[in-house]
Amino acid sequence: MAGLQAVASNSGGVALIDAVNPKTVLQVVAPSNKGIRITRFAVLFDGTSSTAARPVVSCARTSTNGTGTSLNPQKTKGHTGTVTATGFENFTAEPTVAAGSSMYRQPVPPTAGVSVPVDIQLNPGEAFNVRVAANGINATAFIDFEE
């Protein structure tokens, strides 16, 4: 880790339509030649009813990426280098989450969201996924990390 700080964030809200099976809202993949450190992730919702069912936010480490739209994480702080990790959103095929690889699972109010500080090391080529199980709301997310 050379101290380059970056963020990956959604380009827009992700429609959530399944309260049982989580949808990957955002993913960051470490470059193939070095690991990265995830320092925070957050998910925000556009729900309008505080009595609606609570979305369940989870995160997981995966070694397969699924099929999503690529996005470019942005440097937020650090030296003059460039961000080499990649990001994905709008998944049409979910990444495979192996048993035991989920690291966080929490119901969250649908009218707010959650911001979670973490210290998760990813090996080269590994992916970190923010996932949500909910129905009838949209979610946006960000992932802060260091390379």
Side-chain angles (χ1 to χ4, degrees):
M1 314 296 156
L4 184 76
Q5 296 176 11
V7 63
S9 58
N10 293 103
S11 60
V14 175
L16 302 171
I17 58 170
D18 191 334
V20 176
N21 299 302
K23 177 171 182 59
T24 300
V25 175
L26 187 62
Q27 179 187 72
V28 169
V29 181
S32 61
N33 63 342
K34 64 182 171 183
I36 63 174
R37 182 172 78 100
I38 306 298
T39 57
R40 175 179 301 273
F41 71 90
V43 183
L44 303 171
F45 302 108
D46 68 353
T48 58
S49 172
S50 60
T51 59
R54 289 178 173 244
V56 177
V57 175
S58 61
C59 68
R61 180 189 322 249
T62 60
S63 57
T64 62
N65 295 346
T67 304
T69 304
S70 66
L71 58 87
N72 294 317
Q74 301 298 308
K75 180 170 72 170
T76 57
K77 192 176 186 182
H79 57 73
T80 59
T82 58
V83 177
T84 56
T86 55
F88 295 90
E89 63 178 347
N90 298 325
F91 283 81
T92 56
E94 287 292 314
T96 302
V97 178
S101 66
S102 188
M103 297 174 272
Y104 175 91
R105 187 176 186 279
Q106 184 69 41
V108 176
T111 56
V114 63
S115 178
V116 182
V118 293
D119 186 5
I120 299 169
Q121 304 289 332
L122 295 184
N123 292 317
E126 280 187 319
F128 178 80
N129 304 269
V130 175
R131 309 172 78 221
V132 181
N135 190 19
I137 59 174
N138 297 309
T140 56
F142 71 81
I143 300 170
D144 288 332
F145 62 95
E146 282 185 13
E147 288 192 3

